[in-house]
Amino acid sequence: MGTADGGHRDAAITAVADREYSRAGDEYTRAGWRVLADPREEEAVDTFDPGERGWVGVGLGYLVTATAAYRVAGADARASRRGVAGVAVAGDLAAQAGPVQAACFREFVADFRAVAGLDGAADAYSTASTAYEDAADVIEDPQSRGTTPLFQAAAKPIKQLARGQDNGEIAITWSDLHGTDPDRPGEFLAHRAEYKRRRMPGLVERTVDDGYLAAPRGSTAYDTDAYRCPACGSTDVNWSGPDTLCLRCSRRVEEV
């Protein structure tokens, strides 16, 4: 079971498939606000107490993706406002979290700056990297930390942006984002921020220039007999959101 986004994430993916990126930005924004308000309604998860899992980070991830969608749509003013708001919310959550999760919220601050095109993104990533290294003594298992909803949510926007530059494939892996030695936990997690500092601005720029944001990757199948993309002819599919999408161009596929 995921977070309580009110169905807006699915609506956002549908808008991405339709190449209606302003609408996608709106729906991702609604999803983000819903999750920030009540991350998991059935369990009464507190927005301002991240707990061990950090479900509230999923809402921040949707807002980062909303910002990217607005940039692709040419709605730069709205993207800037979304970025400024995201910086404020992520910074507020960082101030109330433990040191490891606070570093991840600082990573989100940098993401909002980079994706919105705000000043200070590189410095913000350096701040996040330093925060991870400073938290090294209290990071018991950095690999487990990296699989929690908070850390996964902070990884998803850059992975989605990169898919559009790599024909829909997995363009950023776990090993790309993380360090090589989990026995050095601060450096292991700090690598996330360092990698993003190098890659995120360029990925955003290319995505905006291409005018194309890929859908997030879900379950996939290659060379299917049942589906074909009417736009590009591919038979590789991606089950993401409510529709079956083309793995290559994120359009809806047709059954054959």
Side-chain angles (χ1 to χ4, degrees), residues 25-65:
D26 290 346
E27 294 294 347
Y28 273 123
T29 296
R30 292 185 178 100
W33 286 341
R34 285 288 295 267
V35 175
L36 287 174
D38 290 295
R40 282 162 69 89
E41 293 171 340
E42 298 84 355
E43 299 178 20
V45 174
D46 189 342
T47 297
F48 302 105
D49 179 6
E52 289 297 317
R53 305 288 286 164
W55 286 101
V56 68
V58 176
L60 293 177
Y62 290 151
L63 293 180
V64 174
T65 308

mmCIF file of all heavy atoms in Angstrom, residues 25-65:
data_model
loop_
_atom_site.group_PDB
_atom_site.id
_atom_site.type_symbol
_atom_site.label_atom_id
_atom_site.label_comp_id
_atom_site.label_asym_id
_atom_site.label_seq_id
_atom_site.Cartn_x
_atom_site.Cartn_y
_atom_site.Cartn_z
ATOM 1 N N GLY A 25 1.465 18.835 -14.344
ATOM 2 C CA GLY A 25 1.989 19.579 -13.209
ATOM 3 C C GLY A 25 0.930 19.844 -12.163
ATOM 4 O O GLY A 25 1.175 19.720 -10.953
ATOM 5 N N ASP A 26 -0.263 20.197 -12.604
ATOM 6 C CA ASP A 26 -1.362 20.431 -11.668
ATOM 7 C C ASP A 26 -1.706 19.171 -10.889
ATOM 8 O O ASP A 26 -1.925 19.208 -9.669
ATOM 9 C CB ASP A 26 -2.608 20.920 -12.413
ATOM 10 C CG ASP A 26 -2.462 22.324 -12.975
ATOM 11 O OD1 ASP A 26 -1.514 23.034 -12.584
ATOM 12 O OD2 ASP A 26 -3.306 22.702 -13.819
ATOM 13 N N GLU A 27 -1.781 18.036 -11.593
ATOM 14 C CA GLU A 27 -2.158 16.791 -10.925
ATOM 15 C C GLU A 27 -1.056 16.303 -9.986
ATOM 16 O O GLU A 27 -1.340 15.813 -8.877
ATOM 17 C CB GLU A 27 -2.512 15.716 -11.946
ATOM 18 C CG GLU A 27 -3.766 16.010 -12.754
ATOM 19 C CD GLU A 27 -5.032 16.017 -11.903
ATOM 20 O OE1 GLU A 27 -5.002 15.559 -10.735
ATOM 21 O OE2 GLU A 27 -6.075 16.485 -12.409
ATOM 22 N N TYR A 28 0.195 16.418 -10.398
ATOM 23 C CA TYR A 28 1.281 16.064 -9.481
ATOM 24 C C TYR A 28 1.272 16.983 -8.257
ATOM 25 O O TYR A 28 1.569 16.542 -7.137
ATOM 26 C CB TYR A 28 2.640 16.154 -10.183
ATOM 27 C CG TYR A 28 3.061 14.902 -10.898
ATOM 28 C CD1 TYR A 28 3.361 14.923 -12.264
ATOM 29 C CD2 TYR A 28 3.204 13.691 -10.221
ATOM 30 C CE1 TYR A 28 3.768 13.771 -12.929
ATOM 31 C CE2 TYR A 28 3.609 12.539 -10.880
ATOM 32 C CZ TYR A 28 3.902 12.589 -12.228
ATOM 33 O OH TYR A 28 4.301 11.436 -12.883
ATOM 34 N N THR A 29 0.925 18.251 -8.464
ATOM 35 C CA THR A 29 0.826 19.174 -7.328
ATOM 36 C C THR A 29 -0.273 18.740 -6.371
ATOM 37 O O THR A 29 -0.084 18.706 -5.144
ATOM 38 C CB THR A 29 0.545 20.597 -7.831
ATOM 39 O OG1 THR A 29 1.654 21.047 -8.625
ATOM 40 C CG2 THR A 29 0.351 21.556 -6.666
ATOM 41 N N ARG A 30 -1.429 18.392 -6.912
ATOM 42 C CA ARG A 30 -2.515 17.928 -6.057
ATOM 43 C C ARG A 30 -2.109 16.665 -5.296
ATOM 44 O O ARG A 30 -2.414 16.508 -4.108
ATOM 45 C CB ARG A 30 -3.767 17.667 -6.898
ATOM 46 C CG ARG A 30 -4.397 18.921 -7.489
ATOM 47 C CD ARG A 30 -5.698 18.601 -8.215
ATOM 48 N NE ARG A 30 -6.314 19.792 -8.738
ATOM 49 C CZ ARG A 30 -6.243 20.190 -10.005
ATOM 50 N NH1 ARG A 30 -5.576 19.463 -10.895
ATOM 51 N NH2 ARG A 30 -6.825 21.305 -10.399
ATOM 52 N N ALA A 31 -1.436 15.752 -5.998
ATOM 53 C CA ALA A 31 -0.961 14.540 -5.332
ATOM 54 C C ALA A 31 -0.008 14.887 -4.199
ATOM 55 O O ALA A 31 -0.089 14.329 -3.092
ATOM 56 C CB ALA A 31 -0.274 13.616 -6.340
ATOM 57 N N GLY A 32 0.902 15.812 -4.460
ATOM 58 C CA GLY A 32 1.862 16.217 -3.432
ATOM 59 C C GLY A 32 1.191 16.833 -2.221
ATOM 60 O O GLY A 32 1.508 16.487 -1.068
ATOM 61 N N TRP A 33 0.252 17.736 -2.453
ATOM 62 C CA TRP A 33 -0.450 18.374 -1.330
ATOM 63 C C TRP A 33 -1.229 17.357 -0.512
ATOM 64 O O TRP A 33 -1.254 17.418 0.723
ATOM 65 C CB TRP A 33 -1.383 19.456 -1.855
ATOM 66 C CG TRP A 33 -0.683 20.694 -2.313
ATOM 67 C CD1 TRP A 33 0.586 21.105 -1.999
ATOM 68 C CD2 TRP A 33 -1.212 21.702 -3.185
ATOM 69 N NE1 TRP A 33 0.878 22.295 -2.619
ATOM 70 C CE2 TRP A 33 -0.206 22.688 -3.359
ATOM 71 C CE3 TRP A 33 -2.436 21.859 -3.851
ATOM 72 C CZ2 TRP A 33 -0.387 23.820 -4.148
ATOM 73 C CZ3 TRP A 33 -2.622 22.988 -4.641
ATOM 74 C CH2 TRP A 33 -1.614 23.949 -4.788
ATOM 75 N N ARG A 34 -1.890 16.412 -1.203
ATOM 76 C CA ARG A 34 -2.664 15.403 -0.487
ATOM 77 C C ARG A 34 -1.760 14.554 0.412
ATOM 78 O O ARG A 34 -2.089 14.283 1.575
ATOM 79 C CB ARG A 34 -3.407 14.503 -1.478
ATOM 80 C CG ARG A 34 -4.615 15.124 -2.143
ATOM 81 C CD ARG A 34 -5.776 15.269 -1.170
ATOM 82 N NE ARG A 34 -6.282 13.982 -0.701
ATOM 83 C CZ ARG A 34 -7.304 13.327 -1.273
ATOM 84 N NH1 ARG A 34 -7.929 13.841 -2.328
ATOM 85 N NH2 ARG A 34 -7.703 12.179 -0.789
ATOM 86 N N VAL A 35 -0.615 14.143 -0.114
ATOM 87 C CA VAL A 35 0.280 13.306 0.673
ATOM 88 C C VAL A 35 0.918 14.100 1.805
ATOM 89 O O VAL A 35 1.084 13.588 2.923
ATOM 90 C CB VAL A 35 1.349 12.659 -0.223
ATOM 91 C CG1 VAL A 35 2.374 11.881 0.610
ATOM 92 C CG2 VAL A 35 0.698 11.722 -1.230
ATOM 93 N N LEU A 36 1.251 15.353 1.557
ATOM 94 C CA LEU A 36 1.809 16.178 2.627
ATOM 95 C C LEU A 36 0.806 16.356 3.763
ATOM 96 O O LEU A 36 1.179 16.376 4.945
ATOM 97 C CB LEU A 36 2.229 17.546 2.092
ATOM 98 C CG LEU A 36 3.490 17.581 1.222
ATOM 99 C CD1 LEU A 36 3.687 18.973 0.644
ATOM 100 C CD2 LEU A 36 4.718 17.172 2.029
ATOM 101 N N ALA A 37 -0.454 16.471 3.414
ATOM 102 C CA ALA A 37 -1.480 16.678 4.445
ATOM 103 C C ALA A 37 -1.707 15.414 5.268
ATOM 104 O O ALA A 37 -1.776 15.475 6.508
ATOM 105 C CB ALA A 37 -2.789 17.123 3.794
ATOM 106 N N ASP A 38 -1.840 14.274 4.620
ATOM 107 C CA ASP A 38 -2.113 12.991 5.287
ATOM 108 C C ASP A 38 -1.398 11.893 4.527
ATOM 109 O O ASP A 38 -1.990 11.269 3.636
ATOM 110 C CB ASP A 38 -3.619 12.701 5.333
ATOM 111 C CG ASP A 38 -4.370 13.626 6.274
ATOM 112 O OD1 ASP A 38 -4.112 13.542 7.487
ATOM 113 O OD2 ASP A 38 -5.190 14.415 5.797
ATOM 114 N N PRO A 39 -0.135 11.632 4.855
ATOM 115 C CA PRO A 39 0.643 10.674 4.047
ATOM 116 C C PRO A 39 -0.011 9.312 3.886
ATOM 117 O O PRO A 39 -0.046 8.772 2.782
ATOM 118 C CB PRO A 39 1.965 10.572 4.820
ATOM 119 C CG PRO A 39 2.077 11.889 5.522
ATOM 120 C CD PRO A 39 0.683 12.263 5.901
ATOM 121 N N ARG A 40 -0.531 8.741 4.966
ATOM 122 C CA ARG A 40 -1.191 7.434 4.899
ATOM 123 C C ARG A 40 -2.366 7.486 5.868
ATOM 124 O O ARG A 40 -2.224 7.224 7.063
ATOM 125 C CB ARG A 40 -0.221 6.311 5.266
ATOM 126 C CG ARG A 40 0.723 5.960 4.128
ATOM 127 C CD ARG A 40 1.931 5.194 4.613
ATOM 128 N NE ARG A 40 1.637 3.859 5.075
ATOM 129 C CZ ARG A 40 1.621 2.765 4.306
ATOM 130 N NH1 ARG A 40 1.837 2.866 2.997
ATOM 131 N NH2 ARG A 40 1.395 1.581 4.814
ATOM 132 N N GLU A 41 -3.529 7.841 5.315
ATOM 133 C CA GLU A 41 -4.680 8.145 6.153
ATOM 134 C C GLU A 41 -5.059 6.989 7.070
ATOM 135 O O GLU A 41 -5.433 7.186 8.227
ATOM 136 C CB GLU A 41 -5.872 8.532 5.283
ATOM 137 C CG GLU A 41 -5.658 9.848 4.547
ATOM 138 C CD GLU A 41 -6.738 10.114 3.523
ATOM 139 O OE1 GLU A 41 -7.416 9.140 3.123
ATOM 140 O OE2 GLU A 41 -6.901 11.275 3.130
ATOM 141 N N GLU A 42 -4.979 5.756 6.566
ATOM 142 C CA GLU A 42 -5.409 4.608 7.362
ATOM 143 C C GLU A 42 -4.550 4.421 8.602
ATOM 144 O O GLU A 42 -5.005 3.880 9.608
ATOM 145 C CB GLU A 42 -5.374 3.331 6.518
ATOM 146 C CG GLU A 42 -6.311 3.337 5.313
ATOM 147 C CD GLU A 42 -5.705 4.022 4.097
ATOM 148 O OE1 GLU A 42 -4.589 4.582 4.224
ATOM 149 O OE2 GLU A 42 -6.335 3.999 3.040
ATOM 150 N N GLU A 43 -3.296 4.849 8.556
ATOM 151 C CA GLU A 43 -2.387 4.639 9.674
ATOM 152 C C GLU A 43 -2.137 5.910 10.469
ATOM 153 O O GLU A 43 -1.339 5.913 11.412
ATOM 154 C CB GLU A 43 -1.059 4.092 9.155
ATOM 155 C CG GLU A 43 -1.195 2.762 8.438
ATOM 156 C CD GLU A 43 0.129 2.264 7.900
ATOM 157 O OE1 GLU A 43 1.191 2.718 8.379
ATOM 158 O OE2 GLU A 43 0.116 1.419 6.998
ATOM 159 N N ALA A 44 -2.788 6.992 10.115
ATOM 160 C CA ALA A 44 -2.623 8.271 10.820
ATOM 161 C C ALA A 44 -1.146 8.664 10.937
ATOM 162 O O ALA A 44 -0.669 9.064 11.993
ATOM 163 C CB ALA A 44 -3.280 8.201 12.200
ATOM 164 N N VAL A 45 -0.420 8.544 9.837
ATOM 165 C CA VAL A 45 0.981 8.951 9.818
ATOM 166 C C VAL A 45 1.061 10.469 9.902
ATOM 167 O O VAL A 45 0.364 11.187 9.187
ATOM 168 C CB VAL A 45 1.674 8.446 8.531
ATOM 169 C CG1 VAL A 45 3.086 8.996 8.428
ATOM 170 C CG2 VAL A 45 1.697 6.929 8.518
ATOM 171 N N ASP A 46 1.909 10.963 10.779
ATOM 172 C CA ASP A 46 2.020 12.400 11.030
ATOM 173 C C ASP A 46 2.966 13.048 10.021
ATOM 174 O O ASP A 46 4.112 12.623 9.865
ATOM 175 C CB ASP A 46 2.533 12.623 12.450
ATOM 176 C CG ASP A 46 2.490 14.078 12.894
ATOM 177 O OD1 ASP A 46 2.381 14.964 12.017
ATOM 178 O OD2 ASP A 46 2.573 14.332 14.108
ATOM 179 N N THR A 47 2.486 14.090 9.368
ATOM 180 C CA THR A 47 3.334 14.813 8.412
ATOM 181 C C THR A 47 4.623 15.290 9.056
ATOM 182 O O THR A 47 5.702 15.220 8.452
ATOM 183 C CB THR A 47 2.564 16.029 7.860
ATOM 184 O OG1 THR A 47 1.416 15.584 7.150
ATOM 185 C CG2 THR A 47 3.446 16.849 6.922
ATOM 186 N N PHE A 48 4.534 15.785 10.281
ATOM 187 C CA PHE A 48 5.671 16.457 10.907
ATOM 188 C C PHE A 48 6.503 15.548 11.802
ATOM 189 O O PHE A 48 7.401 16.003 12.501
ATOM 190 C CB PHE A 48 5.165 17.670 11.684
ATOM 191 C CG PHE A 48 4.430 18.639 10.804
ATOM 192 C CD1 PHE A 48 3.049 18.728 10.858
ATOM 193 C CD2 PHE A 48 5.100 19.420 9.872
ATOM 194 C CE1 PHE A 48 2.358 19.603 10.017
ATOM 195 C CE2 PHE A 48 4.428 20.283 9.037
ATOM 196 C CZ PHE A 48 3.044 20.378 9.109
ATOM 197 N N ASP A 49 6.208 14.270 11.773
ATOM 198 C CA ASP A 49 7.024 13.270 12.461
ATOM 199 C C ASP A 49 7.305 12.168 11.446
ATOM 200 O O ASP A 49 6.505 11.244 11.279
ATOM 201 C CB ASP A 49 6.280 12.707 13.675
ATOM 202 C CG ASP A 49 7.105 11.645 14.403
ATOM 203 O OD1 ASP A 49 8.281 11.449 14.023
ATOM 204 O OD2 ASP A 49 6.564 11.015 15.328
ATOM 205 N N PRO A 50 8.429 12.248 10.717
ATOM 206 C CA PRO A 50 8.669 11.324 9.605
ATOM 207 C C PRO A 50 8.692 9.853 9.999
ATOM 208 O O PRO A 50 8.461 8.988 9.149
ATOM 209 C CB PRO A 50 10.036 11.766 9.067
ATOM 210 C CG PRO A 50 10.202 13.166 9.522
ATOM 211 C CD PRO A 50 9.507 13.237 10.846
ATOM 212 N N GLY A 51 8.945 9.546 11.263
ATOM 213 C CA GLY A 51 9.039 8.153 11.653
ATOM 214 C C GLY A 51 10.213 7.467 10.977
ATOM 215 O O GLY A 51 11.100 8.114 10.409
ATOM 216 N N GLU A 52 10.229 6.152 11.012
ATOM 217 C CA GLU A 52 11.336 5.411 10.415
ATOM 218 C C GLU A 52 11.275 5.398 8.890
ATOM 219 O O GLU A 52 12.287 5.279 8.213
ATOM 220 C CB GLU A 52 11.339 3.974 10.943
ATOM 221 C CG GLU A 52 11.763 3.848 12.403
ATOM 222 C CD GLU A 52 13.196 4.302 12.612
ATOM 223 O OE1 GLU A 52 14.069 3.960 11.791
ATOM 224 O OE2 GLU A 52 13.441 5.015 13.600
ATOM 225 N N ARG A 53 10.077 5.507 8.336
ATOM 226 C CA ARG A 53 9.894 5.325 6.904
ATOM 227 C C ARG A 53 9.905 6.636 6.114
ATOM 228 O O ARG A 53 10.313 6.665 4.968
ATOM 229 C CB ARG A 53 8.581 4.578 6.637
ATOM 230 C CG ARG A 53 8.464 3.257 7.377
ATOM 231 C CD ARG A 53 9.384 2.205 6.796
ATOM 232 N NE ARG A 53 8.889 1.718 5.524
ATOM 233 C CZ ARG A 53 9.626 1.031 4.649
ATOM 234 N NH1 ARG A 53 10.889 0.784 4.889
ATOM 235 N NH2 ARG A 53 9.096 0.615 3.523
ATOM 236 N N GLY A 54 9.409 7.698 6.703
ATOM 237 C CA GLY A 54 9.435 8.989 6.017
ATOM 238 C C GLY A 54 8.472 9.086 4.853
ATOM 239 O O GLY A 54 8.818 9.616 3.790
ATOM 240 N N TRP A 55 7.230 8.599 5.040
ATOM 241 C CA TRP A 55 6.251 8.594 3.949
ATOM 242 C C TRP A 55 5.970 9.987 3.398
ATOM 243 O O TRP A 55 5.617 10.142 2.223
ATOM 244 C CB TRP A 55 4.948 7.948 4.423
ATOM 245 C CG TRP A 55 5.021 6.471 4.572
ATOM 246 C CD1 TRP A 55 5.169 5.761 5.738
ATOM 247 C CD2 TRP A 55 4.987 5.498 3.527
ATOM 248 N NE1 TRP A 55 5.224 4.412 5.474
ATOM 249 C CE2 TRP A 55 5.110 4.217 4.130
ATOM 250 C CE3 TRP A 55 4.867 5.578 2.139
ATOM 251 C CZ2 TRP A 55 5.097 3.047 3.388
ATOM 252 C CZ3 TRP A 55 4.854 4.405 1.405
ATOM 253 C CH2 TRP A 55 4.971 3.154 2.019
ATOM 254 N N VAL A 56 6.127 11.012 4.216
ATOM 255 C CA VAL A 56 5.834 12.364 3.754
ATOM 256 C C VAL A 56 6.714 12.756 2.566
ATOM 257 O O VAL A 56 6.339 13.594 1.732
ATOM 258 C CB VAL A 56 6.007 13.366 4.918
ATOM 259 C CG1 VAL A 56 7.468 13.498 5.328
ATOM 260 C CG2 VAL A 56 5.433 14.732 4.563
ATOM 261 N N GLY A 57 7.868 12.129 2.451
ATOM 262 C CA GLY A 57 8.752 12.434 1.331
ATOM 263 C C GLY A 57 8.145 12.139 -0.019
ATOM 264 O O GLY A 57 8.530 12.747 -1.029
ATOM 265 N N VAL A 58 7.188 11.203 -0.060
ATOM 266 C CA VAL A 58 6.524 10.906 -1.332
ATOM 267 C C VAL A 58 5.821 12.149 -1.863
ATOM 268 O O VAL A 58 5.835 12.429 -3.063
ATOM 269 C CB VAL A 58 5.536 9.732 -1.164
ATOM 270 C CG1 VAL A 58 4.764 9.483 -2.451
ATOM 271 C CG2 VAL A 58 6.275 8.471 -0.724
ATOM 272 N N GLY A 59 5.218 12.928 -0.955
ATOM 273 C CA GLY A 59 4.569 14.166 -1.365
ATOM 274 C C GLY A 59 5.557 15.161 -1.939
ATOM 275 O O GLY A 59 5.281 15.817 -2.951
ATOM 276 N N LEU A 60 6.723 15.258 -1.326
ATOM 277 C CA LEU A 60 7.753 16.150 -1.867
ATOM 278 C C LEU A 60 8.201 15.701 -3.252
ATOM 279 O O LEU A 60 8.423 16.523 -4.150
ATOM 280 C CB LEU A 60 8.954 16.197 -0.921
ATOM 281 C CG LEU A 60 8.753 16.850 0.439
ATOM 282 C CD1 LEU A 60 10.028 16.733 1.271
ATOM 283 C CD2 LEU A 60 8.352 18.315 0.288
ATOM 284 N N GLY A 61 8.328 14.389 -3.434
ATOM 285 C CA GLY A 61 8.722 13.881 -4.744
ATOM 286 C C GLY A 61 7.732 14.250 -5.829
ATOM 287 O O GLY A 61 8.122 14.609 -6.951
ATOM 288 N N TYR A 62 6.434 14.195 -5.498
ATOM 289 C CA TYR A 62 5.427 14.594 -6.480
ATOM 290 C C TYR A 62 5.560 16.078 -6.814
ATOM 291 O O TYR A 62 5.372 16.484 -7.976
ATOM 292 C CB TYR A 62 4.030 14.313 -5.946
ATOM 293 C CG TYR A 62 3.673 12.848 -5.842
ATOM 294 C CD1 TYR A 62 2.779 12.401 -4.876
ATOM 295 C CD2 TYR A 62 4.219 11.902 -6.702
ATOM 296 C CE1 TYR A 62 2.438 11.053 -4.767
ATOM 297 C CE2 TYR A 62 3.896 10.562 -6.604
ATOM 298 C CZ TYR A 62 3.007 10.141 -5.638
ATOM 299 O OH TYR A 62 2.668 8.807 -5.529
ATOM 300 N N LEU A 63 5.890 16.895 -5.833
ATOM 301 C CA LEU A 63 6.031 18.329 -6.098
ATOM 302 C C LEU A 63 7.266 18.627 -6.944
ATOM 303 O O LEU A 63 7.245 19.544 -7.775
ATOM 304 C CB LEU A 63 6.080 19.108 -4.783
ATOM 305 C CG LEU A 63 4.794 19.110 -3.953
ATOM 306 C CD1 LEU A 63 4.992 19.924 -2.679
ATOM 307 C CD2 LEU A 63 3.624 19.668 -4.750
ATOM 308 N N VAL A 64 8.338 17.858 -6.758
ATOM 309 C CA VAL A 64 9.499 18.013 -7.641
ATOM 310 C C VAL A 64 9.115 17.670 -9.075
ATOM 311 O O VAL A 64 9.459 18.403 -10.024
ATOM 312 C CB VAL A 64 10.672 17.126 -7.177
ATOM 313 C CG1 VAL A 64 11.817 17.186 -8.191
ATOM 314 C CG2 VAL A 64 11.187 17.565 -5.808
ATOM 315 N N THR A 65 8.389 16.572 -9.247
ATOM 316 C CA THR A 65 7.979 16.174 -10.592
ATOM 317 C C THR A 65 6.996 17.177 -11.188
ATOM 318 O O THR A 65 7.032 17.450 -12.399
ATOM 319 C CB THR A 65 7.356 14.771 -10.568
ATOM 320 O OG1 THR A 65 8.248 13.874 -9.897
ATOM 321 C CG2 THR A 65 7.119 14.251 -11.980
#
